[in-house]
Structures are given as C-alpha cells and as structure tokens.
Amino acid sequence: MYRILLKRPRAGVAEIAAGLDWPVERAERTLDRLAELTLVRNSSEELGKVRLVNPEFGLAGLLQRQERELAQHQQAVAATRLAITQMLTEYGDDTEAQTDEVRRYTGLDAINSQIERLSLGAESSVEVFAPGGAQTEAALEAARPLDKATVERGVRVRYIYLDSVRNDPATLNYARWLNDIGGEVRVLPQLPPRMIIFDRRVAIVPIDPEAAARGVLILRGAGVVTALVSLFQETWTRAQPLCGNRTTTADPDGLTRQEQAVLDLLFEGHTDDVVARKLGVSVRTGRRITADLMARLGARSRYQAGALAMERGWLGRSARTGESRVGDDGGAPAATAADAPAGG
C-alpha cells in the first residue's frame, strides 16, 4: 500500500483497495496502521484521503523506532542472562544445595569419574550436546574406549556437534568413526550449553556455561531432567545428520543455517568473540559472515541490520523451523570425558 501511495499520493481508499484486490475494510485498516507508523496523515484538502509524510523523514523515523526496540530487547536479553548466571552461581556456591537430586562436582578428575560411572551404567540412552567446535586429540582418544564399549552394549545414544567441526580433521574423523561403529551424529550451526543426559533420568550440566572450570551439576529431579530432554529432542529434530560434505542449503531468502544463527546471536546482543565461540569458528570468520549479511541487507550499522532483518522476517527462523525430520532412533556414541561439561 505504501508503494502505491508513493506512486499515486492522492489515491483514495477505494482506488487502493481495487489496485491490491483487497476488500475496502482491509485497506482502511492498513491505512490506519500506516498512520500509526507516522508514514501518512489525513489530507487537509480532500476528505477521506491521506497524504504521505515526507518519505525521507517518515521512513527514517520508522527505522529509528525499530532500532530503539532492538536495543531494548538486547538489554532485556543481557539482563536475563546476568540474572540466570547469578542464580546458578549462588546455587553452586551453596553447600546446603547438595541434595540427592542435585550434586556439584569440581575438578576434571572428579567430573570424568562421574561421566565414566554414568556412561558404563547407562541402560537405554545417552543424549549429548557437544558445543565448542573442535575437540582436542587427547580428549577424543581418551573417549574412544568408552564410546566403543557403550555402543557395543546396545545403548541408544544421540550426539549433536556444532556444524563447524567439519573444519577440524581430528574431530570430523572421530565423528565419522562414531558413525562407522553404529553411532548417529547430527550437527547444527549453534547449540545450547554442553549437556549429557543418561537414561532420561540423570543430566550433567555446567555450573556456569561461560566458565567451564567452575564445575558441573548432576541433576536427578524428574521435572528439570524432563525439561532438558525436551530441549534436546527439539534441537535434535532441527539438526542434520553428519555426512561427507558440508551442508550449504539456503532458504528461499538465500540464508544458510549458519547465517541464520549469526543473525539470531547478533540480535541477542552478543559480541564478535561470543558469536565465534558459540559457532565454533574463528572471530575472523564470524566477522566476515556478519559483514556479508550487512552488505546484503544494505545496513550501515548492526542495529540497522537487526531492524532490517526483523522487518524481513529473518530473525529466529532457525528456531522456528526444523529442517531435518529423519528418524530419531538408532545408536550413537557414548558421552565420555571428551564431552565433559566442565571443559571437554
């Protein structure tokens, strides 16, 4: 409708509705919305018609409002993240919080011992988030015997890596080995914090996802573990099976899954360093992806890029759509010391 008014500023509601093949009522509602956005005003000369606010002024004002909304959202996300971190920190530091349902462990030896115990005792399933990109060779080799033993026992395990592990030969070879011995591995451009769920009854999560050295919590409460299982299931559904070639499939707007993840992270207010760490890529690569996206959007700043991406419906798309719907059954590798939430 706004484009029609740009071409025919004196068009009336009936004429606009006819041009768009809309009911008159819809055209009237849309004109009201344009007025709310301060893009049109009622005409002082002709009753029932509107006049355009100077497009340069009106559109600039619209963009400024979206930038303010984006900044407010980013501040809200940052405040929520800080509050959650503080609560986890307080909970982890409270020795009285140690119960049968929640146990805290610090130090790699203690954590690895718990992972080995739970892995060897798993009877039905092990479900793993493995963010962080490339894993160290030493950690992968230490994990190999446990993974092999668990798969051979017939325990069903599902394992999700960052898509960027394809850039690291050691991690990629390990993931392919897991597939070869009967495991199933999937990948996503972005993952929640590291997590391991055993038999859907026990979960290991980091005390602080941003400070792995602080240790882990082992959770046994049915409520929280059920919620974590649901998170894993939703993420697994969106992930893609690991295969020989990198997946570069783009959506109808030409966005790859990795580009969608970068947009979502930037919208949440993350820095270049955090974006790169969450995707498991170098800061240089993350900045290159961001620069390419800004160029495609025609944006001069990140705030403007966020507003334009919001307008085009590009934000949050990776969380709303599930591109992979293949079967959820099948064996996969066991979680081991290489996957420890404290530092893997």
Side-chain angles (χ1 to χ4, degrees), residues 7-27:
K7 296 176 181 178
R8 302 198 299 276
R10 293 189 175 277
V13 175
E15 182 182 352
I16 295 173
L20 294 171
D21 195 22
W22 285 0
V24 172
E25 293 78 8
R26 181 179 178 185

Side-chain angles (χ1 to χ4, degrees), residues 25-289:
E25 293 78 8
R26 181 179 178 185
E28 290 174 340
R29 290 196 303 270
T30 306
L31 272 178
D32 290 341
R33 180 57 181 153
L34 289 176
E36 292 173 3
L37 295 172
T38 323
L39 296 176
V40 300
R41 298 189 187 279
N42 290 327
S43 173
S44 300
E45 298 177 353
E46 299 179 76
L47 186 64
K49 292 189 177 182
V50 297
R51 66 175 177 84
L52 281 174
V53 175
N54 183 288
E56 184 176 352
F57 171 78
L59 293 175
L62 176 63
L63 182 58
Q64 289 173 358
R65 284 194 294 275
Q66 289 184 329
E67 288 178 342
R68 286 196 299 271
E69 292 171 1
L70 177 61
Q72 291 168 357
H73 179 84
Q74 291 172 336
Q75 291 172 357
V77 170
T80 301
R81 183 181 297 110
L82 177 61
I84 290 173
T85 300
Q86 290 175 337
M87 285 188 288
L88 287 175
T89 298
E90 293 168 1
Y91 190 78
D93 288 340
D94 185 0
T95 55
E96 295 182 358
Q98 300 279 355
T99 68
D100 289 340
E101 293 189 348
V102 181
R103 303 295 297 178
R104 178 188 179 200
Y105 294 89
T106 59
L108 282 177
D109 288 342
I111 294 169
N112 288 341
S113 294
Q114 292 301 315
I115 291 175
E116 290 173 359
R117 179 179 64 81
L118 291 168
S119 295
L120 293 173
E123 299 176 351
S124 59
S125 66
V126 179
E127 297 160 320
V128 184
F129 284 149
Q135 310 290 312
T136 66
E137 293 243 19
L140 293 174
E141 287 308 310
R144 193 180 297 268
L146 269 181
D147 285 338
K148 187 173 184 296
T150 305
V151 170
E152 289 177 347
R153 265 200 340 270
V155 175
R156 184 180 66 174
V157 182
R158 295 183 289 181
Y159 208 111
I160 311 178
Y161 280 112
L162 283 179
D163 187 66
S164 61
V165 299
R166 301 178 192 275
N167 299 324
D168 181 68
T171 309
L172 180 59
N173 288 337
Y174 188 83
R176 287 173 173 167
W177 171 79
L178 288 171
N179 273 326
D180 290 342
I181 67 171
E184 186 177 355
V185 180
R186 293 190 182 181
V187 293
L188 266 181
Q190 180 186 356
L191 283 175
R194 193 176 294 273
M195 176 180 74
I196 313 172
I197 305 174
F198 300 92
D199 293 334
R200 299 198 164 190
R201 294 196 302 266
V202 183
I204 300 182
V205 298
I207 292 175
D208 183 352
E210 302 301 326
R214 296 204 63 220
V216 301
L217 297 176
I218 294 185
L219 311 174
R220 297 179 183 275
V224 67
V225 174
T226 299
L228 293 176
V229 169
S230 296
L231 172 63
F232 182 90
Q233 183 61 39
E234 190 274 336
T235 307
W236 177 263
T237 301
R238 290 189 291 110
Q240 293 183 333
L242 182 71
C243 52
N245 298 319
R246 177 184 296 278
T247 299
T248 56
T249 304
D251 66 9
D253 291 312
L255 289 174
T256 66
R257 291 156 62 91
Q258 189 176 64
E259 289 171 336
Q260 291 169 2
V262 170
L263 278 174
D264 291 340
L265 289 169
L266 291 175
F267 180 72
E268 292 172 7
H270 294 296
T271 64
D272 289 336
D273 289 347
V274 173
V275 170
R277 185 169 71 250
K278 286 183 175 292
L279 298 184
V281 300
S282 68
V283 175
R284 181 178 179 181
T285 297
R287 286 173 178 165
R288 176 181 55 76
I289 296 172

